[in-house]
Amino acid sequence: MSLTSRALLVLAPALALAACDGGTAAPDAAGGGSDDAFVPPGVDAPMSSGDDAFVPPGQDAPGPTGDVTYYEDLRPIVAQNCESCHVTGGVAPFPLTTYEETAAWGSRLVEVTRDRIMPPYLADNSGACQTYRDARWLSDAEIATFAMWFDQGMLMGDPTTPEPEIIPPPRLTGSVTNLDIGVEYTPDASGTDDYRCFLVDSPGGFVTGYDVHPDNPAIVHHVIVYEPTSDGEGDQARANDAREAGPGYTCFGGAGVDAFPVVLWAPGGGATNFPRGTGVEIPSSRPLIVQIHYNLLGGTGGDRTTVDIQTEARAVPAYILPMVDSRFNIPPRMASYTSSATQSLDALGSLSPRVYGSFPHMHTMGTSLQVDLVRPTGDECVISVPRWDFNWQLAYWYETPFRVSASDQVRITCEWNSMTRDTNTTWGEGTQDEMCLNFFYVSL
């Protein structure tokens, strides 16, 4: 039985129980305990993003005209979209906080913004396949600003121009527990990347948000907190930890056990609040697994990163539902190899859960990923990652959540480049293995 089938069998009775007794739903300030009380007014209405920079598809702001200068035109874009990483001591390899620093990389900035390599937001937010809240996605006009500034000779403009106003990142507001890995860990310097998993105690309850605090931001590239799928998988994680010398254990590609992500963080993300009133239950009997990707190209030294998780005793239960293609067999020396799998949702019966977010996952050979709903009325793209990058594994939250039903199917399609491989590649956790996977964040 596939991972998705097992998850559906678990999900359906759990959602049915929540629908029947309403026992886990906490009423909002206006009263009432239904799920719709926890989302903005209107069924499946867009979630508030707090991102004033969001422009609906087809309503892109006009680009600059005339002279384009650093202080008047480019500086606000760089400050809002780049400086969370590109500062002295940040995870990026160089700062972009002054005119001189930015001009030194002028031609490269044109290339990486034009190709949407930077800012690192992998999901297509153009409106061709959904749109997302809090998206670090440059508008076409902002991309044009970089090109025009460079083409016109990187004009400085007026240095006395007031500093741009930067929209503050989201913050946690509820009951917060700090997850501490308990020790300063020095990454393995024999390579450029070290993936390490640390076990921390779970406070129990429902996770409703999180915020990551990198101790050594120059080397902390991303952080994922996993919840083991069972007490037995939690025991296996403890065994992995005990078997390997030093703090934690090596865990490239995943948690090393069957587990779902609860926290997905990359630099500059700030705090993440789950859709209003929803939360993922984390039993106190299982450890949480904090995976930290250390990239030593950015610096050296030890690290003791911590993670704040916002928890509530009661919430509308949310579930992390996987969509998997695990049967691929990628031949070597292929510039492009594609595999697809389709999963029925008939186990949902009469239930119609709401999908709030997606968490795609592949390994280093991946080049693209797309998930579609196959509905009786036609196919609908629900997430498209046209340029996969293993180094930027993010959570994507829909501006407009959508419902799925038993009459729908879900199709996942992945593409890889195996030109560097001499043997076939199949599903697995290891460095030389691959994955084709998307997690959905869902509730009733």
Side-chain angles (χ1 to χ4, degrees), residues 243-277:
R243 185 167 52 245
E244 190 165 331
Y249 59 93
T250 303
C251 55
F252 177 91
V257 299
D258 196 3
F260 294 130
V262 179
V263 170
L264 294 100
W265 175 91
T272 293
N273 287 287
F274 289 165
R276 183 159 57 106

Side-chain angles (χ1 to χ4, degrees), residues 51-104:
D51 183 1
D52 293 337
F54 174 74
V55 179
Q59 299 182 28
D60 196 2
T65 58
D67 290 342
V68 177
T69 70
Y70 169 78
Y71 281 104
E72 286 84 357
D73 301 299
L74 197 72
R75 168 81 173 128
I77 302 173
V78 173
Q80 185 64 56
N81 295 282
C82 310
E83 286 187 8
S84 56
C85 297
H86 286 271
V87 293
T88 301
V91 71
F94 53 86
L96 293 173
T97 56
T98 68
Y99 168 79
E100 291 76 16
E101 292 167 349
T102 306

Side-chain angles (χ1 to χ4, degrees), residues 366-414:
T367 57
S368 68
L369 179 151
Q370 181 164 319
V371 181
D372 297 282
L373 280 180
V374 182
R375 298 186 186 271
T377 55
D379 294 359
E380 178 184 346
C381 178
V382 294
I383 187 166
S384 174
V385 180
R387 189 191 300 271
W388 172 256
D389 186 338
F390 179 76
N391 293 315
W392 296 103
Q393 300 186 53
L394 306 174
Y396 301 96
W397 301 99
Y398 296 111
E399 282 281 342
T400 305
F402 55 89
R403 298 274 189 179
V404 294
S405 68
S407 63
D408 297 328
Q409 294 180 312
V410 184
R411 181 179 62 238
I412 185 168
T413 304
C414 292

Side-chain angles (χ1 to χ4, degrees), residues 112 115-126 129-130 132 134-138 221-222 264 266 358-363 366-370 381-397 437-438:
V112 298
D115 295 339
R116 293 199 178 276
I117 298 171
M118 291 286 160
Y121 197 84
L122 306 185
D124 182 355
N125 193 55
S126 68
C129 178
Q130 309 295 327
Y132 304 90
D134 304 322
R136 288 188 291 184
W137 176 271
L138 297 183
H221 196 281
H222 77 245
L264 294 100
S358 281
F359 318 126
H361 180 71
M362 303 173 76
H363 286 183
T367 57
S368 68
L369 179 151
Q370 181 164 319
C381 178
V382 294
I383 187 166
S384 174
V385 180
R387 189 191 300 271
W388 172 256
D389 186 338
F390 179 76
N391 293 315
W392 296 103
Q393 300 186 53
L394 306 174
Y396 301 96
W397 301 99
L437 170 64
N438 185 70

